[in-house]
Amino acid sequence: MSAQPELLPACLVPRHYDLDIDVNLSEFVFAGRVQITAEVKEETDVIVLHALDITIKSVQVTSSDGSVTRPISQPLISLAQTQPRKLHKCDGVTSFSEDTISIQLERKLACGEVVLDLSYDGELNSNMCGFYRSKALIDGKEEYMAVTQHEPTDCRRTLPCFDEPALKASFDVTLRVPAHLTALSNMPVKDEIVEADRKVVRFERTPRMSTYLLAMAVGRLEHVEGTTKKGVKYRVYACPGVTNQCLFALDVGMKVLDFFSDYFGISYPLPKLDMIALPDFAAGAMENWGLITYREANLLIDEVNSPLVTKQRVAYVVAHELAHQWFGNLVTMSWWTDLWLNEGFATWVGNFAVDHLYKHWDIWTQFVNQYAGRALQLDALETSHAIEVEVKRSGEVNEIFDEISYCKGAACIMMLTSFLGMPSFRSGISSYLNKFQYGNASTRDLWESLTEASGKDVEKFMGPWTRNVGYPVVFLSRSSGKLSFAVERFLATGKEAPGSDWWVPMRVLHSSGKEELLDIKGKTLEVEDAEGGGWVKGNLHQTAFFRIRYDDALLALLGPAISELRLSPSDRLGVQADAFALARAGKMRTDRALALAMEYEEEEDFTVWADLLGSLADVMSTWAKEAEYEGLQQMMVKLLQKIMKKVGWEAKDGEGALFPMLRPLVILNLGRNGDEEVAAEARRRMKGGWKSVAADLRYAVYATVVGTGGAEEFEVVKRVFLEAEMSDERNRAMRALCATREEKLMDQVLAMTLDGSIRSQDVFYVFGSLSANRVGMDVAWRFLQANWSKISGMFPSGQPPLARIIKTTVSSFASEERAAEVEAFFADKETPGAEMSLKQALETIRMNAAWLQRDRDVVGSWLASK
Ligand code: BES
Ligand code: ZN
């Protein structure tokens, strides 16, 4: 890392926060007082700390000898009346940068312990950051709750603090709230004093932790509870009336918490763990130590109304957040540059736990599709970034909660586990967690522990993968009794680029059944081809992070190995995924990739289908405006006939464990591409009312009915959106509405993003779904431009949904004109937290445009020949 991050001055280090907040839910304000015990490391008369959108009312500093130091020229002039909810600059307190304050003291503080005492006011905002209000609908009535979201850098909105991950401290939290509400924080309640209709709730002291993990929640709540085998009190909270929907998450959570305690060899250190479903939540979930917050759709499961895909999602999200209780909370990255130590780890470990609990879900094959696959896609862009990424200012932090930190991070851990073997990996991470508990660590620290545990040079193997952007493609060819491997960097644009010093672990399976591991440490490698000219599959089980380009003859041999299901599901998945990526990059003709796709007719594996249909969706969206589009649709319908016969419309006893996900996937793709029979059956099923449709089929049925119908069908599904009580069901209906072919109806859905019918947390679904619709992509883009200030205003802290909205809305375009238009529009706009996404989207549009230009003709002739 070259440039140094902008950090607070090191002369003062926080040790403990004593926080007292009075919550006013009728006026949406709060009054806070925080006493921060800090150590003066170097004498100073200026204190700099973080604060944002709060009004500091008074400051005083008490030294350990009892002497009091104040800012220059007290008393402070209150500007609260004129500038109610903004940080004001009063005498002695000035704004140092946009989110820090600088307190000029009347004299210097000597080294030693001091207590900073600050009183302040804040607003319970409606922006899902800091201490905010969330609107619940309870028995049809609106009611507000107050909750926090502090990661990455919004704790400074709740209290003045030293808001950097390495500045760990303990917290004593006190909340003053209406007596009839439940108040929660990271730790259990210590005591509670009720006075008339108010109460004062004091919580136990937290362990040393980073500010971004501090959490509070106040509202009318109900819960279910249990105690894990290891004795942790576990509760799951939600708005009243849905406690039965909390049981699934409680069950998963209790099992996974104990599993991690065992696996890591360190027990979960807090006496309790609460999880809470919130009606408004910007991210998917947040791992606050002891009080994990979720959007409702990621926590609540109804036995009748939740499809398998949602159960898998909830199990995974819970496991991911629980993984953070160790990776992130107990041991925290020293700075955001190493965010992947949190997110990449939680992603891999979360999947590991779900696999442990639900073997039949075949999680590791799904992992190849959902994590490795997404990372390979983003990291093929020149505008991608390395896993270890320079982050100078806190404003840049939101940007890196992306597929690189999560998915490439997790894929690299997968690669590392196969390099080290699970026993060494486990003992290495366990000693790493032990060594750095309650402290901070960097990537280098992790490599050291793993090296000690395994005796292998982990830094040497992993360094090139985490420090450099991009990954290799290995060209695999056969000639005169030899197999040759040639390594280059893979770029989605097909451009040549200097590679890195990757050490590529190439595991190979031969048609004879022989497996071997070849370490490719240079640019090329040649080995004897002793297995007699049959097929060869490289990157066996897709456990390593690279793509393979087979020569024509080798690719042709793999066709039958796929259609006869001789390869494992992840290998079948990998061959087509690489082929389509190469086609897009101009390294293979797209008609060749399409021909390969037709080899998958006999496929029955959900994940292989999901990945293949994803590859084909990229072709469809790039060709969306072309004359060949209909031909491509016919090809899709043909490809899916056999599997449709096999899955049918009704679940059968003894069917594949993932058929409940495969069935709707097939139906959706057939309905969308013009299969009349499927469309008719979907309409017939909808006639009995949405509740009569099996939960697993609902989204596919809704989308097919809307996509093949008109205003009437749209109204039917819109009613689902209005009637349904579960967030997940409303989202299904809302996404399905975006399948309409009529612009006027699209406008209706889009209008709902602004009139409050759709919560801002869910707005990205609308843009994402419309962009997958050949007409919708233009309508969504027009709308986004026309309403930019309102939509960007929903995420003033640069929260992840904004980047997601920009990226999904424009990434399906495939012309230079569109690229130029997008560039021009954003040229003078502020896109907090989305700068990098915007660049990546532009590169994607231009790549699509080049792909289309290059292969329009060959795709046309291939279709004509069919
Ligand atoms: N630590 C994140 C939450 C987060 C994300 C905070 C982005 C700030 C910005 C949490 O652990 C997480 O990763 N949440 C995911 C869901 C997860 C299960 C993949 C999310 O919010 O998308
Ligand atoms: Zn996470």
Side-chain angles (χ1 to χ4, degrees):
M1 295 303 101
S2 47
Q4 289 301 309
E6 288 170 14
L7 299 178
L8 295 174
C11 51
L12 210 67
V13 182
R15 299 288 179 220
H16 176 73
Y17 293 82
D18 209 324
L19 176 65
D20 186 319
I21 295 188
D22 186 290
V23 181
N24 180 339
L25 267 165
S26 33
E27 282 159 66
F28 303 140
V29 293
F30 61 95
R33 175 176 179 197
V34 63
Q35 290 160 281
I36 310 174
T37 308
E39 198 179 317
V40 180
K41 293 273 192 188
E42 237 176 81
E43 54 166 45
T44 178
D45 59 359
V46 183
I47 295 172
V48 184
L49 70 172
H50 289 106
L52 181 60
D53 284 355
I54 48 181
T55 305
I56 310 289
K57 293 190 300 190
S58 73
V59 182
Q60 75 171 35
V61 185
T62 309
S63 299
S64 44
D65 63 5
S67 64
V68 172
T69 311
R70 295 176 201 281
I72 49 172
S73 56
Q74 285 268 25
L76 301 167
I77 305 155
S78 174
L79 298 180
Q81 281 77 36
T82 51
Q83 280 177 291
R85 273 143 206 169
K86 293 283 166 213
L87 167 71
H88 70 254
K89 298 168 187 171
C90 50
D91 284 0
V93 181
T94 54
S95 192
F96 182 71
S97 70
E98 63 185 14
D99 53 4
T100 57
I101 52 171
S102 170
I103 302 166
Q104 177 63 56
L105 298 174
E106 59 197 3
R107 59 190 159 85
K108 279 198 166 154
L109 300 175
C111 289
E113 202 171 274
V114 293
V115 176
L116 317 178
D117 188 342
L118 298 108
S119 298
Y120 61 97
D121 284 333
E123 180 196 8
L124 292 171
N125 69 72
S126 56
N127 299 323
M128 298 181 288
C129 57
F131 204 10
Y132 70 93
R133 61 186 193 261
S134 173
K135 186 164 78 183
L137 263 185
I138 302 170
D139 304 327
K141 281 212 309 274
E142 289 179 358
E143 203 170 308
Y144 285 88
M145 51 209 279
V147 296
T148 53
Q149 170 57 38
H150 290 151
E151 193 182 16
T153 56
D154 283 326
C155 191
R156 61 197 67 175
R157 294 174 181 273
T158 301
L159 65 149
C161 61
F162 296 83
D163 201 7
E164 289 171 7
L167 298 177
K168 289 194 175 188
S170 52
F171 291 82
D172 283 341
V173 176
T174 300
L175 289 173
R176 295 163 194 273
V177 301
H180 68 289
L181 300 182
T182 303
L184 301 171
S185 185
N186 305 79
M187 296 299 285
V189 172
K190 185 161 98 188
D191 55 41
E192 197 175 289
I193 302 165
V194 181
E195 280 167 24
D197 61 343
R198 302 279 298 173
K199 64 180 175 186
V200 181
V201 185
R202 294 199 300 169
F203 298 90
E204 305 276 357
R205 178 165 301 185
T206 71
R208 250 172 74 78
M209 64 179 201
S210 305
T211 46
Y212 77 87
L213 292 169
L214 178 69
M216 296 170 282
V218 181
R220 202 142 74 83
L221 297 167
E222 284 179 3
H223 71 271
V224 292
E225 66 186 359
T227 303
T228 74
K229 293 209 177 90
K230 291 178 176 289
V232 179
K233 283 186 149 317
Y234 210 126
R235 288 182 167 183
V236 182
Y237 286 87
C239 291
V242 295
T243 45
N244 61 325
Q245 296 174 12
C246 300
L247 292 167
F248 178 77
L250 177 66
D251 179 53
V252 172
M254 297 218 297
K255 287 177 181 152
V256 172
L257 194 71
D258 280 350
F259 172 67
F260 284 153
S261 293
D262 263 339
Y263 191 80
F264 299 139
I266 301 177
S267 291
Y268 172 75
L270 308 188
K272 67 98 174 172
L273 178 53
D274 297 329
M275 309 202 287
I276 177 172
L278 304 175
D280 298 282
F281 193 74
M286 176 65 212
E287 69 264 26
N288 315 299
W289 216 349
L291 176 53
I292 308 178
T293 44
Y294 294 79
R295 56 170 62 203
E296 289 177 349
N298 282 342
L299 192 69
L300 304 180
I301 288 292
D302 180 279
E303 276 313 317
V304 177
N305 293 296
S306 297
L308 178 59
V309 64
T310 307
K311 283 193 188 142
Q312 288 198 359
R313 172 80 186 157
V314 167
Y316 168 66
V317 179
V318 168
H320 173 113
E321 303 311 335
L322 291 179
H324 277 309
Q325 308 303 305
W326 287 262
F327 283 97
N329 302 6
L330 187 64
V331 179
T332 312
M333 70 254 143
S334 300
W335 178 244
W336 299 106
T337 290
D338 281 319
L339 176 67
W340 86 281
L341 287 179
N342 274 13
E343 299 303 347
F345 251 91
T347 300
W348 186 87
V349 176
N351 279 286
F352 180 67
V354 175
D355 178 63
H356 172 80
L357 285 191
Y358 301 94
K359 277 282 170 234
H360 56 287
W361 285 352
D362 189 17
I363 287 302
W364 293 118
T365 304
Q366 296 198 55
F367 181 94
V368 174
N369 162 251
Q370 292 190 19
Y371 301 98
R374 280 163 63 196
L376 289 165
Q377 205 154 44
L378 176 57
D379 205 28
L381 298 180
E382 283 179 88
T383 47
S384 177
H385 63 85
I387 286 183
E388 294 176 59
V389 53
E390 194 175 284
V391 179
K392 276 168 63 188
R393 255 155 289 127
S394 55
E396 297 166 6
V397 181
N398 269 303
E399 301 244 17
I400 60 171
F401 286 83
D402 66 357
E403 287 86 347
I404 298 301
S405 302
Y406 282 75
C407 306
K408 187 180 179 184
C412 284
I413 293 165
M414 159 127 118
M415 181 161 71
L416 180 60
T417 57
S418 95
F419 174 74
L420 296 175
M422 289 305 283
S424 298
F425 176 76
R426 179 179 180 176
S427 89
I429 57 174
S430 170
S431 64
Y432 161 84
L433 289 169
N434 265 294
K435 184 164 171 193
F436 296 100
Q437 55 184 331
Y438 304 104
N440 296 80
S442 69
T443 303
R444 231 58 53 214
D445 296 322
L446 175 63
W447 295 164
E448 270 171 35
S449 295
L450 288 163
T451 297
E452 266 168 43
S454 67
K456 293 189 180 174
D457 190 340
V458 176
E459 158 70 27
K460 181 145 185 273
F461 175 60
M462 289 303 290
W465 300 93
T466 58
R467 278 202 306 267
N468 302 317
V469 61
Y471 62 87
V473 55
V474 181
F475 185 47
L476 174 46
S477 59
R478 167 185 275 159
S479 70
S480 44
K482 299 230 189 284
L483 282 179
S484 316
F485 302 84
V487 181
E488 300 168 16
R489 171 152 178 214
F490 180 72
L491 280 179
T493 49
K495 283 192 204 155
E496 308 283 314
S500 167
D501 45 350
W502 298 295
W503 153 1
V504 176
M506 175 66 82
R507 213 173 275 277
V508 174
L509 175 67
H510 297 268
S511 52
S512 63
K514 184 182 166 194
E515 260 185 61
E516 57 185 330
L517 173 63
L518 305 167
D519 284 322
I520 313 178
K521 294 188 180 172
K523 298 271 171 255
T524 56
L525 179 76
E526 218 175 57
V527 296
E528 292 301 322
D529 179 17
E531 298 303 302
W535 52 260
V536 178
K537 170 66 179 56
N539 196 10
L540 187 59
H541 304 316
Q542 301 295 119
T543 49
F545 196 68
F546 59 87
R547 292 200 189 274
I548 297 188
R549 181 179 162 205
Y550 297 95
D551 71 17
D552 289 350
L554 285 173
L555 186 62
L557 289 173
L558 283 170
I562 289 165
S563 55
E564 291 159 20
L565 307 182
R566 291 178 193 279
L567 298 175
S568 70
S570 49
D571 288 316
R572 303 199 295 270
L573 183 162
V575 174
Q576 60 74 32
D578 286 356
F580 277 95
L582 290 163
R584 204 176 194 184
K587 301 288 182 188
M588 180 191 287
R589 281 173 45 171
T590 304
D591 53 336
R592 183 69 195 84
L594 291 170
L596 176 68
M598 301 311 283
E599 308 267 7
Y600 287 77
E601 269 194 307
E602 301 293 339
E603 185 60 64
E604 291 185 20
D605 187 275
F606 160 73
T607 315
V608 178
W609 273 115
D611 204 85
L612 174 63
L613 291 168
S615 301
L616 290 167
D618 288 341
V619 179
M620 300 298 280
S621 79
T622 298
W623 262 257
K625 310 283 172 177
E626 304 303 305
E628 292 79 20
Y629 188 79
E630 264 179 39
L632 287 166
Q633 287 193 302
Q634 285 162 14
M635 176 213 66
M636 297 278 280
V637 170
K638 179 162 180 293
L639 174 64
L640 290 161
Q641 288 308 312
K642 282 197 178 159
I643 188 63
M644 183 65 219
K645 292 241 159 52
K646 286 183 205 159
V647 293
W649 282 83
E650 298 291 340
K652 287 176 264 313
D653 282 346
E655 68 181 10
L658 299 184
F659 268 37
M661 284 153 73
L662 176 58
R663 182 173 293 115
L665 180 69
V666 173
I667 291 171
L668 184 69
N669 276 276
L670 281 168
R672 180 188 283 168
N673 289 299
D675 185 305
E676 275 307 324
E677 246 176 81
V678 162
E681 180 62 16
R683 277 194 294 275
R684 195 188 69 73
R685 287 181 179 248
M686 199 63 191
K687 289 259 168 357
W690 63 275
K691 287 183 183 152
S692 74
V693 180
D696 284 310
L697 294 187
R698 280 184 200 161
Y699 173 66
V701 166
Y702 299 164
T704 304
V705 166
V706 173
T708 57
E712 197 180 316
E713 288 77 10
F714 183 90
E715 278 311 313
V716 170
V717 174
K718 193 171 156 193
R719 227 169 300 135
V720 180
F721 174 77
L722 298 172
E723 280 171 17
E725 278 165 10
M726 279 187 91
S727 169
D728 194 44
E729 189 77 55
R730 287 198 305 272
N731 289 346
R732 275 196 283 281
M734 177 177 75
R735 289 190 292 123
L737 290 176
C738 299
T740 178
R741 290 168 303 177
E742 296 181 20
E743 290 198 23
K744 268 208 322 248
L745 300 176
M746 292 174 193
D747 287 336
Q748 252 196 62
V749 193
L750 283 163
M752 285 156 57
T753 64
L754 299 182
D755 69 8
S757 326
I758 295 175
R759 291 176 190 264
S760 38
Q761 64 165 9
D762 295 322
V763 164
F764 68 84
Y765 286 118
V766 174
F767 287 93
S769 309
L770 281 175
S771 73
N773 172 331
R774 72 194 283 222
V775 183
M777 56 174 93
D778 301 314
V779 180
W781 169 230
R782 228 185 294 136
F783 186 88
L784 182 64
Q785 293 174 84
N787 298 284
W788 171 252
S789 62
K790 283 186 199 142
I791 288 163
S792 62
M794 292 173 187
F795 310 101
S797 199
Q799 298 103 307
L802 185 64
R804 196 155 163 183
I805 288 171
I806 296 179
K807 209 170 185 171
T808 56
T809 305
V810 304
S811 290
S812 329
F813 291 143
S815 70
E816 174 52 36
E817 298 76 70
R818 282 297 198 198
E821 191 182 309
V822 171
E823 206 159 28
F825 177 76
F826 286 109
D828 61 352
K829 307 285 181 303
E830 295 246 359
T831 48
E835 302 287 335
M836 214 159 44
S837 292
L838 181 58
K839 290 196 186 102
Q840 290 159 353
L842 286 166
E843 186 182 349
T844 305
I845 302 174
R846 293 194 161 108
M847 169 182 84
N848 291 340
W851 181 23
L852 185 58
Q853 282 306 318
R854 195 188 311 118
D855 277 0
R856 188 184 268 127
D857 293 345
V858 294
V859 168
S861 1
W862 183 78
L863 287 170
S865 75
K866 288 270 124 183

